[in-house]
Amino acid sequence: MASAKIQRAIARQQEKYMSPLRLSRLGQEGQYYEAHQQLRVIASRYVKSESWDAATDLLYGGALALLKAGQGGSGGDMAIFLVDVLGKAGKEVGIEEKNKLLTILRVFPAREPTKKRFVTEMINWSSRVGDFPLGDPELHHVAGTIFAAECEPYDAERHLALGTKDSPEQLAKCEYEWYTQDEPATAALYAARAIFPYLLIGNLRSANKAHLIFTSRLNSSNKSLSVQEVSGKSSDMRVYPILPLLNFLGLLLMAVQRGSSDLYKQLAKHYAPHVKEVGVWDDALAQVGEMYFGIRIPRQGNPLFEMMGSMMGFGGGSPRPKPKKVDVPPPPAAELD
């Protein structure tokens, strides 16, 4: 009986503070803070009674209402609370849960400080209870795409590298837009930021797709750029006479596809002076050499994670297992004409 009374009292409070008209009036009175705190109290009561569905529905609705009202901090707090409750409730990464989280993410104001924490908590939750140890790919993809649209390239990279089959296109476009703000000769530096992350997680298909999209945009946007089409029996390649490092990236992908350690060694030797000028590719290339060609490198700590961190702007964390050699099915043996 007492429990029923409590539930009715909670329902009355929820109706009071979740009403759009009530929220609007509170906003006019400068009392969004009151609504935020009251919704938090109600949600906490639901959590205490393990009424998980009621708690998640309340937090979802509250987060959306506050974010749409321009209350980024309060709405972000409710969104983060929602992720915490999903974890406590033992909710799996289902369609309903992802839809709620992504709907909230899409209404966050640009540059809202709590958004990045919300994304981090969302990804961490999905990695704990889902099938993907590094986080759900769809959540990564949407987060990365939003960060790319908001000109947050470092955050976009982190997530798109672990996204879906559609992520390489978004990452390549992001890197290309970033490149257009730099000198023309730096094209390979930005292309590499879309290629190496995929290679380093064993995703050659996405690395090739990112390379193709980046170079296609480069060609279409620079009609005066000298490009030579080189055709072989099993592959075609664009060669840029004034962009040697971009040629190197294309040949590197070809060497990985063929599984040719000899070709890789020749490339490394031939382009060594250019790579040395870049100064930040050495660790990535050493890792590629070990993963795809079995070329052992000295190791201390967790080089894969540290290398990706230095390239993409994040680091630290717990040690990762030593990467295994990645076997790529080679195409029929052929040489370029």
Side-chain angles (χ1 to χ4, degrees):
M1 188 68 162
S3 177
K5 289 183 178 179
I6 292 173
Q7 292 300 323
R8 286 196 295 271
I10 291 175
R12 286 195 299 271
Q13 289 296 309
Q14 180 175 343
E15 183 179 358
K16 174 182 177 182
Y17 287 99
M18 285 297 294
S19 164
L21 179 60
R22 176 58 176 163
L23 273 174
S24 176
R25 288 174 178 171
L26 287 170
Q28 294 172 3
E29 299 166 6
Q31 294 178 11
Y32 279 120
Y33 178 77
E34 176 190 341
H36 173 208
Q37 294 304 309
Q38 287 297 326
L39 290 173
R40 243 189 170 281
V41 169
I42 297 168
S44 296
R45 289 172 180 168
Y46 280 138
V47 170
K48 187 175 181 180
S49 64
E50 298 187 355
S51 301
W52 305 119
D53 290 341
T56 56
D57 288 345
L58 173 64
L59 290 168
Y60 169 67
L64 277 183
L66 288 165
L67 288 169
K68 289 179 179 179
Q71 302 300 302
S74 296
D77 176 70
M78 297 287 282
I80 293 166
F81 193 178
L82 170 61
V83 179
D84 181 57
V85 171
L86 289 175
K88 290 178 178 177
K91 295 285 187 179
E92 296 183 353
V93 186
I95 294 175
E96 181 181 354
E97 288 72 27
K98 287 201 291 187
N99 284 344
K100 284 182 176 179
L101 295 176
L102 293 178
T103 299
I104 289 173
L105 178 58
R106 291 186 176 103
V107 298
F108 261 96
R111 310 286 178 171
E112 164 54 43
T114 60
K115 176 160 63 177
K116 291 183 181 180
R117 184 184 167 196
F118 169 67
V119 170
T120 297
E121 296 297 328
M122 174 179 72
I123 295 297
N124 289 345
W125 163 74
S126 73
S127 70
R128 289 192 300 269
V129 302
D131 298 328
F132 300 92
L134 297 178
D136 184 81
E138 185 181 1
L139 298 181
H140 275 300
H141 175 73
V142 175
T145 300
I146 289 173
F147 283 130
E150 294 177 357
C151 299
E152 295 270 11
Y154 293 113
D155 293 291
E157 287 172 342
R158 291 175 184 144
H159 295 290
L160 291 173
L162 299 171
T164 67
K165 61 182 179 61
D166 298 319
S167 296
E169 180 174 1
Q170 296 299 323
L171 181 54
K173 288 179 178 180
C174 175
E175 299 296 357
Y176 187 80
E177 291 304 315
W178 198 9
Y179 155 65
T180 59
Q181 303 171 35
D182 207 335
E183 297 297 322
T186 63
L189 302 183
Y190 293 90
R193 297 182 73 93
I195 293 170
F196 279 135
Y198 290 120
L199 282 180
L200 293 170
I201 59 173
N203 191 344
L204 176 60
R205 182 187 296 273
S206 290
N208 275 317
K209 185 176 181 180
H211 176 260
L212 176 62
I213 292 171
F214 187 96
T215 54
S216 295
R217 289 177 73 87
L218 180 67
N219 294 344
S220 63
S221 301
N222 299 272
K223 300 298 184 181
S224 62
L225 181 64
S226 177
V227 184
Q228 300 172 3
E229 299 285 345
V230 179
S231 298
K233 295 178 181 178
S234 63
S235 59
D236 299 327
M237 181 177 169
R238 294 166 177 162
V239 175
Y240 302 86
I242 64 171
L243 298 172
L245 282 174
L246 198 56
N247 300 331
F248 170 72
L249 292 173
L251 290 168
L252 175 63
L253 290 170
M254 186 183 297
V256 171
Q257 180 65 59
R258 294 182 177 183
S260 172
S261 60
D262 289 338
L263 176 56
Y264 173 75
K265 291 175 182 177
Q266 292 172 17
L267 289 174
K269 182 178 180 180
H270 180 76
Y271 286 95
H274 299 289
V275 172
K276 184 177 181 180
E277 288 182 10
V278 175
V280 295
W281 288 6
D282 291 345
D283 289 341
L285 291 173
Q287 199 67 35
V288 168
E290 181 172 84
M291 290 178 66
Y292 295 96
F293 308 112
I295 301 173
R296 304 278 301 188
I297 56 175
R299 176 172 285 96
Q300 290 183 351
N302 49 342
L304 172 58
F305 189 67
E306 290 171 1
M307 183 280 306
M308 288 187 70
S310 66
M311 281 185 56
M312 300 173 63
F314 64 97
S318 58
R320 297 298 197 267
K322 182 171 70 174
K324 297 180 180 179
K325 183 178 184 296
V326 176
D327 294 320
V328 178
E335 299 295 335
L336 288 176
D337 293 336

